Amino acid sequence: MQFDDSETQKLLRDTARSYLADRFPLERLYALEQGERLSEAELRGFAELGWPGLLAPDPAGGGGPDGPVSGASLLEAAAVIEEFGYAGVPAPVTVCNVVAALLPDGEHLRALATGERLYTVAEACRRSANGVTGDPLSASGGTLSGTLPLVPFAGVAEYVLAPLRLDGAPAFALLSLADVHLEPVDTLDRRPYHHVHFEGAALDDALVLARGDEAEALGERCDALVTALSLVELAGMMRRVLEMTGEYISNRVQFGQPIAKFQAARHRAAELLMQTESTRWAAYHALWRLQQDPDAAAEVWLAKHWAIRAAGRVFEVSHLLHGGVGVGMEYPLHLYTQAIASFAVRGGTMDEMTSRTLESLRAGAAAR
């Protein structure tokens, strides 16, 4: 794996960094923290740049120099998604790209790639739904019943990718959110979450992608993609916290000199750098492996295991080095550290990630 950005990655990263910095100053992030949603104009701006459909095959987006970008690799899409984490913007770019990577060619894929519609992924696609329980989603007689827990951006998306029981057998499908009941759920990362209740919703608009064992495999693939791309977004947040902390300790003067000159502060800052960079490159390595082999998920669960551990230290050390300043809501550190804490616990604990890594390694050995 090459650790330097390719020319395409650099172009995508620089464009995203400049665009997001210009349109999402701290005042806008504070407004989003207070419950405002991304505006239609903001979502349309992302779509015009092709960011929700980066992983769609190029023909689906009608790409070209004057059209939205599509046909990107996982590593190229990751460059944009990392910048959303760095900017602290809670946008549906990650979930849309997971859907784009899994949909077959057709009307839905073209609508996603061109930004005509927004799509999302249910938390139920991940093996651990963080202890949320409810009636499992099922379909019988042409209607859906049950609940999808913790669906991000369900309030703005028109379709959700989710597992369900179809006539008693496992299935994986794209479901309409037109006739559902949305129950808002508060979380720390400022992305809007809802429990989605399907009570008698029609199955007519559903696009069934797989059934039986194929559905289970597609669900595992979806879980790996959501986890890996979310880890890159998490790494972007950590990078922003690292930079904010470095700037603060370099400018905060105590006893006649910047506190960055004190050995204890420098040791803590070095730990912050190590935790951030190891999380970032573990996430990129996992995506690189998935790009080489869609079934190579062991590195994803390993990267997630490390990120859970590292996130706690990044949260603790950054606030420690900021002292009382980092506790005040007027200072923007919490805009990132709260999201870091939330991202770290989504989708499973360290013990679960250890088990999943071992399962993946055993499955790979058995296949050989």
Side-chain angles (χ1 to χ4, degrees):
M1 176 181 175
Q2 297 296 321
F3 288 93
D4 293 330
D5 281 347
S6 67
E7 290 186 9
T8 301
Q9 283 176 292
K10 187 177 187 307
L11 176 61
L12 288 168
R13 186 184 301 281
D14 290 348
T15 300
R17 175 74 65 93
S18 175
Y19 185 94
L20 295 172
D22 181 57
R23 288 162 177 79
F24 291 91
L26 287 176
E27 293 78 12
R28 183 63 181 131
L29 297 185
Y30 274 114
L32 292 171
E33 182 193 31
Q34 295 302 316
E36 286 191 21
R37 289 186 176 183
L38 292 170
S39 68
E40 291 186 8
E42 288 168 337
L43 293 171
R44 186 167 56 252
F46 301 154
E48 288 173 354
L49 289 165
W51 289 340
L54 285 166
L55 293 179
D58 189 50
D66 300 319
V69 179
S70 60
S73 69
L74 282 174
L75 293 176
E76 290 165 351
V80 172
I81 290 170
E82 184 184 351
E83 291 307 315
F84 272 89
Y86 180 88
V89 179
V93 172
T94 296
V95 290
C96 279
N97 273 290
V98 171
V99 177
L102 298 177
L103 279 181
D105 190 21
E107 186 266 338
H108 281 294
L109 188 60
R110 286 188 287 275
L112 189 159
T114 58
E116 180 183 338
R117 290 195 293 262
L118 288 176
Y119 294 72
T120 187
V121 177
E123 182 73 9
C125 285
R126 310 177 78 171
R127 190 180 298 182
S128 170
N130 296 294
V132 176
T133 59
D135 297 330
L137 187 61
S138 61
S140 181
T143 60
L144 289 158
S145 62
T147 299
L148 288 176
L150 293 171
V151 179
F153 304 104
V156 295
E158 295 184 48
Y159 287 86
V160 59
L161 197 62
L164 72 157
R165 304 290 296 183
L166 185 56
D167 296 326
F172 203 78
L174 189 68
L175 306 173
S176 172
L177 292 172
D179 298 310
V180 300
H181 171 64
L182 300 178
E183 177 189 349
V185 183
D186 290 330
T187 66
L188 291 175
D189 66 15
R190 292 176 291 118
R191 294 190 297 179
Y193 280 90
H194 293 82
H195 297 327
V196 180
H197 303 286
F198 292 82
E199 300 301 335
L203 189 61
D204 296 345
D205 291 335
L207 174 63
V208 178
L209 303 179
R211 300 171 185 260
D213 292 343
E214 291 184 1
E216 299 283 356
L218 191 57
E220 188 79 358
R221 165 75 170 159
C222 180
D223 192 351
L225 283 171
V226 173
T227 300
L229 291 173
S230 295
L231 287 177
V232 170
E233 193 171 352
L234 172 64
M237 298 174 198
M238 289 183 175
R239 282 178 49 229
R240 185 63 175 269
V241 168
L242 174 66
E243 289 182 12
M244 291 173 65
T245 305
E247 181 179 356
Y248 178 78
I249 65 175
S250 296
N251 295 324
R252 176 74 166 91
V253 175
Q254 192 74 10
F255 304 109
Q257 62 181 340
I259 60 176
K261 289 185 176 294
F262 293 101
Q263 189 176 52
R266 296 174 73 164
H267 285 174
R268 296 292 190 183
E271 181 183 3
L272 194 60
L273 173 64
M274 181 191 73
Q275 302 289 358
T276 297
E277 287 300 297
S278 58
T279 298
R280 184 171 185 248
W281 292 118
Y284 270 95
H285 177 75
L287 280 169
W288 174 73
R289 287 288 293 126
L290 278 180
Q291 190 167 279
Q292 303 299 312
D293 179 3
D295 296 323
E299 281 82 358
V300 174
W301 317 132
L302 277 172
K304 174 67 172 175
H305 181 283
W306 174 258
I308 296 170
R309 178 183 302 179
R313 293 301 294 158
V314 168
F315 186 104
E316 179 181 346
V317 172
S318 62
H319 280 278
L320 177 67
L321 288 172
H322 277 86
V325 172
V327 179
M329 301 296 282
E330 298 82 7
Y331 189 78
L333 182 63
H334 72 283
L335 295 175
Y336 299 93
T337 53
Q338 284 186 349
I340 285 171
S342 180
F343 266 63
V345 300
R346 298 233 67 79
T349 64
M350 284 195 292
D351 286 345
E352 288 174 313
M353 294 303 106
T354 299
S355 298
R356 297 195 69 174
T357 300
L358 294 174
E359 287 177 18
S360 295
L361 292 173
R362 283 195 291 266
R368 290 193 294 270

